[in-house]
Amino acid sequence: MTSIPIRRALISVSDKTGIVELAKSLAAKGVELVSTGGTAKALRDAGLEVRDISDLTGFPEMMDGRVKTLHPNVHGGLLAVRDDAGHMASASDHAIGMIDLVVVNLYPFAQTVAKGASRDEIIENIDIGGPSMVRSAAKNHAFVAIVTDPADYAIVATAETTLDDRRRFAAKAYALTAQYDAAIANWFAFADQGQRFPDTLPLVFRRGEELRYGENPHQSAALYLPTGPAARGIAQAQQLQGKALSYNNYNDADAALELVSEFRDGPPTVVIVKHANPCGVATADTLVDAYKAALVCDSVSAFGGIIALNRPLDADTARAISDIFTEVVVAPDASDDARAIFAAKKNLRLLISGDLPDPARPGLMLKTIAGGALIQSRDNGQLGELKVVTKRQPTDAELADCRFAWTVAKHVKSNAIVYAKDGSTAGIGAGQMNRLESARIAAWKAKDAAEKAGWSEPRTIGSAVASDAFFPFADGLLAAIEAGATAVIQPGGSIRDADVIAAADKAGLAMVFTGMRHFRH
C-alpha cells in the first residue's frame, strides 16, 4: 500500500496551533473528523462538524479525562492490518471502523515541570492515551498516518499519504514518545526520588545541525541539543556572521565560554582558547585592556584561536581583535559599531551568548568509553576558605592572584600549572604527563612572551602559581620558585606535603591549600 486516502481522522492535541486550518482542509475533502474534549470544542467553534470520541467508543470520557481513547474501537481502528482478512473480519464482527490519520501532540509534561508546578499537577500532565494512540498508529504505519509535528500538517492536508510519508511520520512519532517517556523517567528519578545516578538514565537529544566533519576530516559529526528544560550555553548562541562552526570550533568555544563565565560577575575579562586550553586570560578596567593583556601571554597560540568575553563586545575591543586572525568570538552581546567592524572579517564567526551560564550550576557530564559511558557531576566546585600552610602569609595582591590563577587552572587540561600576576595569566602549562614539565613549560612561555613584548623580565617574577592537583614532590614547586613565583595555591593532600611546605618556607613563599582539586582530562 503506497498511497492511501484519508477517510477518517482522529485529532486530539494540547497545542492547537494550526489545527483548525488542518481540520478545515480535511473536512473540505470529505474526511470524517473525530476528536476529544477541548480539541473537539475548538473545531466546533470554528464551524466544523466533529464526531466525539465517546460516540466512537460507546463510552463517555470519564475520570477527569483520564479515560477516553483507551478502547478497542480506537486501537482496533488503528492497529488493524487492512490486507489481513482475519483482522478485517474481527473489525467487522465488533463494528470497528478504520482510522486513517491520527493527529496528536501530548500533554505538556516538561513545560509543567519547568514552571514549578506541584507534584499533583505534574502527575496529571503525564499523558497516557496520547502516547498509546501514537504508538499504535506508528506501528501500523503501512496503513495509518501518525502526525505529531505541526510542520507536517500541510502534507496530510491533501487527505492522502504516501508510504514514505507514513514511514517518516512513524520515526518521528517513536522519537517523540521516547523523549516524552525519558522526561517522565528523569523527573521521577532526579526530582521526585532524589537519585544521583538512577539505575537507568534515559538521555534524549534532538539533532541541531550536521557539521562539515568531526575532529578530523575523515570523521562525521553533528550538533545535538537537549530536549528537556531550556538550556543556555554555546549550543544556544546566536551566530551573527561567518561560515558554519566546525566540531572543533564548538568544542573550543564551549571551553572559552565556560571559563569566562567564572568571571561573569567580575571586572571586564577576556579568555583566549586554543585546542580547548586557555592560552591567555586577563581582567582589567576595560575590555580592550583585558584583551591586550590576555593576548600578550601567548600571542603565538592566540593566532587562529577562540575568544570569549564577559561583557558586550565594544568597538575598541573589536578593532584590537581584528589585528590578528581569530576563528570565533563569543560575547554576551555586541554593539552596532563592533558588529560593523567584524563584518569586514568574513571568516570570523561572532557568537552572541546572551546571559553567561552559571559556573556553579548542577548537571551531569558524559564521556563515552569502549563498551559504555562514564557519567559524573559537573565540576562546579567553588573556592571556599583557604588554609595558609607556610610561615609567611600571602599579601592581599598575592591572594587575589592566587584566586585568579586557581580559577583559570580549573579549565586547563591536567596536569595544569598557571602563573598569574595582577589579574593576568603569565604562563600556562597544560596537559603534560607530570606536573614538573607543566611548570617548566609555563615558565618558558612566560619568558618567550617577555622577549616578544620587550620586557626586562618575565611576568612570572612576583607571580602566584596554581596547581590543579597537589605537588607529589617538591620538584614542581622548585621549578615555580625558579620561575620567580612568590605565592602558591594548590589542593594539598599529598603524603609529601611537609616536604613541599618546607621548600616553600625555605624560599620565603606563601602557600595556601584549597582542599579541592580540579583535574580536567
Side-chain angles (χ1 to χ4, degrees):
M1 301 292 291
T2 302
S3 184
I4 293 179
I6 298 171
R7 297 186 178 88
R8 175 184 283 169
L10 196 165
I11 304 175
S12 180
V13 293
S14 293
D15 179 358
K16 297 173 176 57
T17 304
I19 201 63
V20 169
E21 292 77 11
L22 171 60
K24 285 182 176 179
S25 295
L26 294 173
K29 294 174 175 61
V31 177
E32 180 187 29
L33 304 178
V34 181
S35 192
T36 63
T39 306
K41 181 180 184 303
L43 299 183
R44 289 194 181 102
D45 288 346
L48 292 163
E49 184 177 340
V50 182
R51 186 178 180 187
D52 285 325
I53 194 72
S54 58
D55 182 46
L56 194 71
T57 63
F59 279 85
E61 296 186 25
M62 63 180 73
M63 301 176 185
D64 299 320
R66 283 189 169 199
V67 179
K68 51 191 172 187
T69 60
L70 297 172
H71 194 280
N73 283 357
V74 173
H75 289 273
L78 295 175
L79 286 166
V81 176
R82 310 297 202 262
D83 57 7
D84 185 301
H87 283 210
M88 298 313 291
S90 294
S92 177
D93 290 345
H94 297 284
I96 298 174
M98 299 298 101
I99 300 172
D100 308 304
L101 168 67
V102 177
V103 182
V104 169
N105 52 56
L106 308 178
Y107 291 176
F109 177 83
Q111 295 90 325
T112 303
V113 172
K115 74 178 185 180
S118 67
R119 187 179 191 278
D120 287 347
E121 185 178 353
I122 289 170
I123 296 299
E124 283 308 309
N125 275 276
I126 297 176
D127 202 331
I128 302 301
S132 299
M133 289 192 295
V134 168
R135 294 177 64 82
S136 292
K139 177 174 181 175
N140 204 25
H141 64 268
F143 305 96
V144 180
I146 171 63
V147 174
T148 57
D149 184 352
D152 294 324
Y153 286 178
I155 298 173
V156 295
T158 61
E160 191 168 344
T161 61
T162 68
L163 180 58
D164 284 345
D165 288 336
R166 296 191 300 277
R167 290 173 66 178
R168 185 167 57 83
F169 295 161
K172 276 189 173 184
Y174 281 120
L176 173 67
T177 56
Q179 172 186 331
Y180 196 76
D181 287 342
I184 296 169
N186 286 332
W187 176 81
F188 269 107
F190 295 112
D192 191 59
Q193 300 298 308
Q195 296 178 342
R196 177 177 293 182
F197 298 109
D199 291 340
T200 300
L201 179 62
L203 297 176
V204 181
F205 294 85
R206 60 180 176 84
R207 194 186 69 205
E209 57 182 306
E210 289 195 49
L211 308 178
R212 297 195 307 279
Y213 53 83
E215 263 184 302
N216 300 290
H218 64 275
Q219 295 173 267
S220 56
L223 172 68
Y224 277 82
L225 303 169
T227 58
R232 185 172 72 242
I234 204 65
Q236 288 73 34
Q238 177 189 9
Q239 183 172 349
L240 296 188
Q241 68 168 67
K243 60 186 177 181
L245 295 171
S246 70
Y247 178 98
N248 291 330
N249 290 153
Y250 271 114
N251 190 51
D252 290 350
D254 176 65
L257 182 63
E258 287 281 18
L259 174 48
V260 86
S261 294
E262 299 274 3
F263 299 93
R264 67 177 191 164
D265 298 321
T269 303
V270 173
V271 170
I272 306 175
V273 162
K274 192 70 171 288
H275 296 301
N277 272 308
C279 58
V281 184
T283 62
D285 292 335
T286 66
L287 207 56
V288 66
D289 286 341
Y291 169 71
K292 291 175 180 178
L295 176 64
V296 77
C297 179
D298 188 352
S299 58
V300 174
S301 297
F303 185 85
I306 309 288
I307 297 173
L309 321 170
N310 73 338
R311 293 283 192 280
L313 177 69
D314 56 62
D316 287 344
T317 309
R319 273 189 287 269
I321 291 173
S322 296
D323 286 342
I324 68 168
F325 171 59
T326 299
E327 288 273 8
V328 180
V329 174
V330 188
D333 204 347
S335 70
D336 291 341
D337 288 343
R339 296 183 191 207
I341 291 166
F342 273 4
K345 297 281 186 178
K346 299 194 181 299
N347 288 329
L348 187 152
R349 290 87 146 195
L350 176 57
L351 303 182
I352 300 302
S353 66
D355 292 339
L356 298 180
D358 181 1
R361 70 190 184 279
L364 296 178
M365 299 179 69
L366 179 150
K367 177 181 175 59
T368 59
I369 58 174
L374 299 172
I375 306 284
Q376 65 172 340
S377 59
R378 288 188 68 255
D379 182 2
N380 56 6
Q382 303 293 303
L383 267 181
E385 185 176 350
L386 300 178
K387 179 182 178 182
V388 179
V389 295
T390 49
K391 296 175 182 176
R392 184 171 77 79
Q393 295 280 325
T395 66
D396 290 344
E398 287 175 331
L399 200 55
D401 283 336
C402 279
R403 291 180 178 276
F404 178 85
W406 178 257
T407 301
V408 176
K410 175 182 174 182
H411 295 265
V412 177
K413 300 291 185 183
S414 298
N415 288 305
I417 292 290
V418 176
Y419 296 94
K421 185 177 182 180
D422 299 331
S424 299
T425 52
I428 299 173
Q432 298 306 302
M433 286 68 73
N434 66 73
R435 204 157 298 280
L436 173 60
E437 290 305 310
S438 289
R440 287 171 171 168
I441 289 171
W444 173 82
K445 283 181 171 290
K447 287 182 180 178
D448 187 61
E451 290 175 4
K452 286 182 170 60
W455 299 333
S456 60
E457 61 183 22
R459 300 188 75 246
T460 51
I461 304 297
S463 68
V465 62
S467 175
D468 64 342
F470 61 65
F471 288 100
F473 301 95
D475 55 0
L477 177 65
L478 293 175
I481 293 170
E482 184 179 347
T486 60
V488 185
I489 183 170
Q490 61 134 321
S494 168
I495 59 173
R496 296 183 178 86
D497 274 350
D499 295 339
V500 175
I501 294 169
D505 281 334
K506 183 177 180 181
L509 268 67
M511 181 184 290
V512 296
F513 280 5
T514 66
M516 174 188 295
R517 79 177 189 194
H518 283 305
F519 271 161
R520 179 175 288 261
H521 290 114

